Amino acid sequence: MTLAAGGPVSDDRMVVAENVHKSYGRVEVLRGIDLEVRRGEVMCVVGPSGSGKSTFLRCVNHLEKINAGRLWVNGQLMGYREKGGRLHELRESEVAAQRRDIGMVFQRFNLFPHMTALGNVMEAPVQVKGEPRAQARERAMRLLERVGLADKANSLPDQLSGGQQQRVAIARALAMQPSLMLFDEPTSALDPELVGEVLDVMKDLARDGMTMIVVTHEMGFAREVGDSLVFMDGGVVVERGTPAEVLSAPRRERTRSFLSKVL
């Protein structure tokens, strides 16, 4: 695969996607995504199942390799380097180094079942960054306190509710001190009464200026917290604007049809 190289990324853009395509065999999931996320921006991405939202999120941190286009995060071309006017894939160790600056929270919590909440949060800084255990433990306790779970530090995942597990997962992502957080429908696997506690943590991150891309079905969260709202369908960006603009006065008929079913 050869991708065209692009120009420099300006300092105020955390994420730049240019003409991003992704296919699985003959199925084209992303069909030319162009998006920019500014530093400190909370971008919410909505759309029907199968629209490419989660795939795009996974392309941002190169968990999925794009087939065409280019993606920068924090000024770095994700997964590739330019040489002689062509882009060449990085080694997996180099991609892993790029990912250290990106936190991701999935639908499922993916906690290590044999580790306590504290151990889950400490693991990556110790194993990936080589931090001293005492330093990693101190930060992990601060993060558990931040997400309201300091009293659950020694609990195993199966002793926690779904909402508590997801908050541990957020603390775990934050332990690597990322400059960008990706959330892939973080409340979709939760019982309705547990959704609020996870959204409250995300609201707190937004207030602190964390750059976030949030794939979500929670329109109230998007309206309250989002700086921008993107509606995707069929692997393309159908509409983008402020949450108030898109939710209250959508310009596209496809957007209006979708919102009529979820609002």
Side-chain angles (χ1 to χ4, degrees), residues 9-255:
V9 178
S10 67
D11 288 343
D12 65 340
R13 296 188 290 177
M14 176 64 73
V15 180
V16 178
E18 289 188 356
N19 196 31
V20 170
H21 289 254
K22 174 64 182 178
S23 298
Y24 299 100
R26 295 182 178 180
V27 179
E28 197 171 14
V29 180
L30 300 178
R31 301 190 292 122
I33 301 295
D34 293 295
L35 282 175
E36 295 181 0
V37 183
R38 305 284 170 174
R39 295 181 188 277
E41 178 179 345
V42 178
M43 174 185 283
C44 294
V45 184
V46 303
S49 297
S51 60
K53 309 182 301 295
S54 294
T55 298
F56 173 70
L57 210 63
R58 293 172 64 85
C59 287
V60 170
N61 64 359
H62 207 65
L63 285 175
E64 297 285 356
K65 297 178 182 179
I66 63 178
N67 298 111
R70 51 211 164 189
L71 259 166
W72 287 274
V73 176
N74 211 10
Q76 294 189 69
L77 189 62
M78 287 299 296
Y80 301 91
R81 71 163 53 85
E82 182 179 1
K83 185 176 180 181
R86 296 164 68 90
L87 297 186
H88 304 268
E89 277 197 58
L90 298 179
R91 295 189 298 271
E92 185 56 37
S93 60
E94 295 172 305
V95 175
Q98 289 184 325
R99 288 197 192 112
R100 292 177 192 175
D101 201 34
I102 306 170
M104 186 159 184
V105 178
F106 300 87
Q107 297 178 38
R108 296 293 173 179
F109 323 122
N110 297 329
L111 299 178
F112 296 115
H114 62 289
M115 290 185 179
T116 63
L118 180 63
N120 268 279
V121 179
M122 288 175 57
E123 180 71 2
V126 171
Q127 298 299 329
V128 178
K129 285 188 170 182
E131 280 189 13
R133 292 190 66 84
Q135 178 180 320
R137 179 186 177 87
E138 182 181 349
R139 182 186 303 115
M141 282 304 303
R142 289 200 306 269
L143 289 169
L144 287 173
E145 183 176 1
R146 179 175 186 177
V147 300
L149 292 174
D151 61 330
K152 300 293 186 180
N154 295 318
S155 297
L156 293 170
D158 66 4
Q159 297 171 317
L160 302 174
S161 70
Q164 289 170 334
Q165 289 186 61
Q166 192 63 294
R167 285 186 279 159
V168 172
I170 294 172
R172 180 179 60 180
L174 292 173
M176 291 293 284
Q177 299 176 289
S179 57
L180 170 68
M181 285 286 286
L182 308 176
F183 292 88
D184 187 6
E185 299 188 22
T187 61
S188 65
L190 299 179
D191 291 334
E193 65 268 22
L194 302 178
V195 168
E197 64 191 52
V198 174
L199 294 181
D200 284 344
V201 171
M202 295 169 65
K203 291 173 186 177
D204 183 58
L205 289 177
R207 283 191 291 268
D208 283 355
M210 174 63 75
T211 309
M212 300 159 60
I213 305 177
V214 184
V215 171
T216 184
H217 293 298
E218 301 291 340
M219 298 300 168
F221 174 85
R223 188 187 297 273
E224 179 183 351
V225 181
D227 298 300
S228 59
L229 182 64
V230 171
F231 172 63
M232 287 181 62
D233 189 33
V236 300
V237 174
V238 176
E239 189 161 347
R240 177 183 180 179
T242 67
E245 290 169 344
V246 177
L247 295 177
S248 301
R251 300 186 301 274
R252 306 288 186 179
E253 176 55 38
R254 181 65 187 95
T255 315

